[in-house]
Amino acid sequence: MTYLFPNPVASPAKAAFLSNAARKNGPYPEAFKAVLSQAGYSRAAGVISSWVGYAPTPLASLSTLAAELGVACIHYKDEGERFGLGSFKALGGAYAVFRLLAAELRRRHGSVDEAALAAGQMRGLAKDITVCCATDGNHGRSVAWGARMFGARAVIFIHANVSEKRAEAIRSYGAKVVRTSGNYDDSVREADRTATANGWFVVSDTSYPGYTDVPRDVMQGYAVMVAEALGALDAPPTHVFIQAGVGGLAAAVIAHLWEVYGTDMPTVVIVEPDKAACLYESALAGHPTTVIGDLDTIMAGMACGEPSVIAWPILQGGASAFMTLPDDMAVSTMQLLASGKAGATIVGGESGVAGLAGLIVAATQPDWRQTLGVDRTSRVLLFGSEGDTDPDLYARIVGRTGDAVRAGA
Ligand SMILES: Cc1ncc(COP(=O)(O)O)c(C=O)c1O
């Protein structure tokens, strides 16, 4: 077994909190603009908003919970309906497939009509290109969906713990699904090996040395979600709790907030499952760190043991704190959102609710609350990154199906 970052550590199995001493003050660093920038966001927004079915996702107000937690407001950006795929990942993988196909078709044919490609009118040329990726579920669904939209082929690698329901959802977009042994990080390596052997193109949501362009495009697609949220708010957020697996989503959120608000950017807290806390461990160590084990959290989208190499510097520079949570916090938060008692009735999936779970823990622990400056004036923004992407698991956890919860909303 090779690890990206050597000397892997076992992840702590408890809720934990760490202030980020390495956070940089000052404006968004020029060096980070090669990874994520407003220019990159504008390009992504132009393409993504041209796709059939594009609509900003709703921003719900959790007013009852805000009063209970002693903050001014809590806004929850609900990605459950994003392009009918169930998660924010629809923005990233599919956009990276688009960018990859545009580059490859340009290389093969000298030029490419990007508007025609985006509209699915270049299928005749795209069908000779195969994209592939490893996934916990949501990213693979996005890559498969993007490949179908633009006419390319897709092969998606899933690891042992990915549920059959998630595999079925990926197949429904016409992709071939290959199950690998081991955990998510093993499936990343398997996808890479197979792609090299077959002349396929890897569209990964995580980056590693020598492979950074595609994951950068994935992350840039996520910024569309952040911009939509900021556009829908009356006033800038003071705090953002954002869940993380490899850190791509959190880096996209931080980069966008940092470039838009500069030194006034909100306090951002990175939230991870305690069983897969590679970013928490990286912050503790001061450098990217691998965590080992089967990473068997119910927060499947966040079951990652190795940080994304291009996301990590942005997280280290821009996050105010890192925290980890046990699975039962995700469970109780899903149930709270389904009950409507937070102020809105929302179908939030296991990974989707993790930022909110982090807020609930941090706002109710006096020392964490104080360290983060959470008080009655705090305006908290959360990203509900998925709905019931595994409908059976959702129904088991909440006691009702996602459809039943939505019908009662
Ligand atoms: C629903 C959901 N939330 C959060 C994440 C974490 O994103 P990242 O791996 O970019 O940190 C994922 C990743 O798959 C996800 O599917």
Side-chain angles (χ1 to χ4, degrees):
M1 168 80 63
T2 50
Y3 294 106
L4 270 184
F5 308 110
N7 307 321
V9 297
S11 200
K14 57 179 177 9
F17 181 90
L18 184 68
S19 278
N20 181 19
R23 186 172 167 208
K24 291 183 204 292
N25 294 313
Y28 186 61
E30 281 300 317
F32 291 173
K33 291 187 185 167
V35 180
L36 289 164
S37 66
Q38 289 297 296
Y41 153 68
S42 298
R43 196 167 44 220
V47 172
I48 291 170
S49 62
S50 79
W51 296 345
V52 176
Y54 170 76
T57 52
L59 188 68
S61 171
L62 305 182
S63 49
T64 317
L65 182 64
E68 214 161 285
L69 292 178
V71 297
C73 58
I74 302 172
H75 286 102
Y76 183 97
K77 175 84 169 152
D78 182 4
E79 289 294 299
E81 299 298 319
R82 181 69 77 181
F83 282 117
L85 267 71
S87 87
F88 80 105
K89 289 258 157 183
L91 296 169
Y95 178 61
V97 169
F98 169 83
R99 294 268 295 164
L100 187 143
L101 292 177
E104 183 56 17
L105 291 175
R106 196 175 292 115
R107 193 186 67 78
R108 291 183 185 184
H109 304 287
S111 68
V112 65
D113 179 344
E114 292 204 359
L117 177 65
Q121 292 162 358
M122 301 197 67
R123 318 178 77 81
L125 297 179
K127 73 174 174 10
D128 298 331
I129 300 174
T130 301
V131 292
C132 73
C133 71
T135 186
D136 289 315
N138 293 332
H139 174 66
R141 203 178 296 198
S142 180
V143 168
W145 175 68
R148 193 181 69 173
M149 182 159 47
F150 311 125
R153 294 170 198 276
V155 180
I156 311 296
F157 293 80
I158 56 172
H159 61 85
N161 288 344
V162 176
S163 73
E164 197 43 39
K165 271 277 177 228
R166 291 188 195 274
E168 269 170 34
I170 295 167
R171 280 188 207 104
S172 75
Y173 295 108
K176 181 178 175 198
V177 174
V178 177
R179 200 177 275 279
T180 64
S181 56
N183 64 21
Y184 170 76
D185 303 305
D186 299 317
S187 65
V188 169
R189 281 179 276 266
E190 183 61 23
D192 200 33
R193 263 194 302 274
T194 316
T196 306
N198 292 290
W200 299 344
F201 294 86
V202 176
V203 179
S204 172
D205 58 352
T206 194
S207 61
Y208 34 93
Y211 180 81
T212 55
D213 289 356
V214 172
R216 184 200 55 206
D217 290 338
V218 170
M219 286 159 52
Q220 197 65 84
Y222 301 159
V224 169
M225 171 191 72
V226 189
E228 284 176 7
L230 300 186
L233 285 171
D234 295 338
T238 59
H239 293 78
V240 175
F241 288 74
I242 184 68
Q243 52 274 39
V246 301
L249 165 63
V253 169
I254 287 181
H256 198 86
L257 294 170
W258 200 347
E259 208 172 350
V260 168
Y261 297 119
T263 48
D264 291 331
M265 79 173 280
T267 296
V268 180
V269 182
I270 310 291
V271 181
E272 289 176 285
D274 58 3
K275 292 174 184 159
C278 61
L279 302 172
Y280 178 93
E281 289 296 336
S282 299
L284 202 59
H287 53 77
T289 299
T290 298
V291 298
I292 49 169
D294 55 10
L295 314 173
D296 67 338
T297 166
I298 61 159
M299 294 174 251
M302 301 156 70
C304 312
E306 302 187 20
S308 171
V309 290
I310 54 172
W312 169 249
I314 296 174
L315 305 183
Q316 189 183 35
S320 292
F322 294 80
M323 62 186 286
T324 72
L325 288 179
D327 280 359
D328 57 9
M329 271 308 299
V331 167
S332 57
T333 307
M334 289 168 72
Q335 292 165 344
L336 171 70
L337 281 181
S339 74
K341 289 182 187 152
T345 302
I346 293 171
V347 174
E350 307 78 57
S351 297
V353 303
L356 173 57
L359 165 68
I360 294 171
V361 172
T364 50
Q365 304 263 340
D367 45 343
W368 296 10
R369 187 178 171 98
Q370 197 186 4
T371 304
L372 293 171
V374 172
D375 62 26
R376 295 211 162 269
T377 66
S378 298
R379 305 174 51 83
V380 185
L381 175 61
L382 306 164
F383 293 93
S385 51
E386 68 178 347
D388 53 338
T389 52
D390 188 335
D392 291 351
L393 181 57
Y394 181 87
R396 276 208 305 282
I397 290 174
V398 168
R400 279 180 296 155
T401 62
D403 286 343
V405 173
R406 275 183 285 268

